[in-house]
Amino acid sequence: MSTALLELANVSKTYRRGGLFSVRRFRAVEDVSFRIEAERASIFAIIGESGSGKSTIARMVLNITQPTSGTVRFRRRDLATIRGSGQRLDFMREVQPIFQNPFEAFNPLKRLDHYLFSTARRLAAVADRPSIEKRADEALRSVGLSLAEVRGRFPHELSGGQLQRAAIARALLSKPSLIVADEPVSMVDASLRMSIVKVFKRLRDDLGISIIYITHDLATAYSISDQLIVMQRGRIVESGEARAVLANPQHPYSQKLKAAVLMPLTADDDMSRFRTNPEPA
């Protein structure tokens, strides 16, 4: 029987809204279950419109938010049982986030190399300066940059595509097993999106890192993912092997997502062919 790297079992998340005398409950995620196997690195896409619950799932996987019911397990351990700074640090080394806006991922007042060095000291447990610089340069080269290119530069001195690759490099410093990437190309110029997608594929194929890729963009999900779930209003409406699902979607919402791609999807498509309409209403 295969071992799961990550497993969500019947996970729901309900938020309370309102004041003292009027409280409403909003269910952001309802009865979601999926697993990512440990034996082989893969890219698992979560597709859905804004408000579908995909970012709430990301927060639960990152152990930022606890589920109202159900369990989230990483390497068989329930994330709710993680206690203390030491255990949290160990978890952070294995599971790293990449956020939507790279300009919000870095302190604008700090040079990128100092930011990367401090992250290496904390998460990678590297102490001496030569080892820190070597680790940072290795991570940057994994995404097509180098320490020489970012040394002494502030975040605003890099393009959006370069800065997102630097954010990916920062996530690689601790040599994680899983990366949670929440809309990682939506703030990047369309001409540069394929370069970021190729970086994620290299992380899977060359470094053996599994990736949860969260998006509303069918074209990138089709190009990058091995497995996927399609979410609407907090529920999974379709799931399975990515190309099979997206080439012949069964649920009306999945069909609507496919209709937003202006060119037909076939088994041999590459994302460079696609243009997409805005996120469907």
Side-chain angles (χ1 to χ4, degrees):
M1 191 173 177
S2 61
T3 302
L5 177 68
L6 176 76
E7 184 174 16
L8 277 70
N10 306 113
V11 168
S12 296
K13 180 64 181 179
T14 301
Y15 291 101
R16 292 162 55 98
R17 291 179 175 175
L20 182 62
F21 300 107
S22 177
V23 176
R24 293 182 299 138
R25 287 174 173 82
F26 167 70
R27 180 158 284 191
V29 172
E30 186 168 357
D31 196 30
V32 165
S33 299
F34 66 83
R35 58 189 281 147
I36 298 174
E37 303 298 342
E39 283 78 7
R40 182 181 178 183
S42 64
I43 298 176
F44 187 95
I46 303 177
I47 306 173
E49 62 194 344
S50 298
S52 64
K54 57 190 190 295
S55 291
T56 300
I57 289 176
R59 292 175 62 83
M60 289 190 285
V61 171
L62 291 167
N63 205 24
I64 297 170
T65 297
Q66 292 295 319
T68 305
S69 62
T71 56
V72 181
R73 294 186 178 93
F74 180 76
R75 297 196 186 279
R76 298 184 178 180
R77 180 169 187 178
D78 187 343
L79 298 191
T81 68
I82 293 178
R83 299 283 187 271
S85 59
Q87 292 182 8
R88 292 182 183 279
L89 197 60
D90 288 342
F91 175 76
M92 288 172 61
R93 290 187 178 113
E94 284 238 67
V95 183
Q96 276 286 300
I98 297 171
F99 297 110
Q100 179 176 11
N101 188 346
F103 291 96
E104 293 180 355
F106 295 97
N107 186 330
L109 302 179
K110 290 185 178 180
R111 292 180 174 87
L112 284 167
D113 52 345
H114 294 308
Y115 200 99
L116 293 169
F117 294 163
S118 64
T119 301
R121 284 192 199 94
R122 181 168 176 250
L123 291 183
V126 182
D128 62 285
R129 185 60 176 253
S131 297
I132 289 172
E133 293 193 359
K134 181 181 178 182
R135 177 68 69 91
D137 190 53
E138 287 174 349
L140 287 164
R141 288 185 182 278
S142 296
V143 299
L145 294 171
S146 69
L147 184 57
E149 290 177 87
V150 304
R151 190 188 294 272
R153 300 177 74 180
F154 289 95
H156 70 271
E157 296 180 285
L158 272 67
S159 69
Q162 287 176 315
L163 198 59
Q164 188 64 294
R165 283 188 283 152
I168 297 171
R170 176 183 174 272
L172 296 178
L173 289 170
S174 62
K175 298 185 177 179
S177 303
L178 178 66
I179 286 176
V180 181
D182 192 354
E183 298 278 10
V185 300
S186 63
M187 300 292 289
V188 176
D189 186 88
S191 64
L192 300 173
R193 288 179 185 174
M194 193 60 186
S195 66
I196 303 296
V197 167
K198 287 180 178 178
V199 167
F200 284 121
K201 287 183 174 180
R202 287 201 300 271
L203 300 186
R204 176 196 60 192
D205 298 338
D206 299 341
L207 300 182
I209 299 172
S210 288
I211 298 161
I212 294 179
Y213 185 84
I214 297 171
T215 185
H216 68 269
D217 181 0
L218 188 71
T220 56
Y222 187 86
S223 173
I224 197 174
S225 58
D226 303 299
Q227 300 287 320
L228 63 79
I229 58 175
V230 180
M231 295 193 64
Q232 185 182 34
R233 299 172 186 169
R235 284 184 167 273
I236 296 175
V237 297
E238 198 153 359
S239 64
E241 191 274 325
R243 293 213 161 191
V245 170
L246 296 179
N248 186 29
Q250 301 301 304
H251 191 273
Y253 178 66
S254 305
Q255 294 169 356
K256 190 175 183 180
L257 282 173
K258 182 177 178 178
V261 180
L262 300 186
M263 297 183 72
L265 299 176
T266 68
D268 299 320
D269 277 329
D270 184 271
M271 197 199 80
S272 60
R273 295 181 64 239
F274 299 140
R275 292 183 298 123
T276 57
N277 283 324
E279 180 179 335

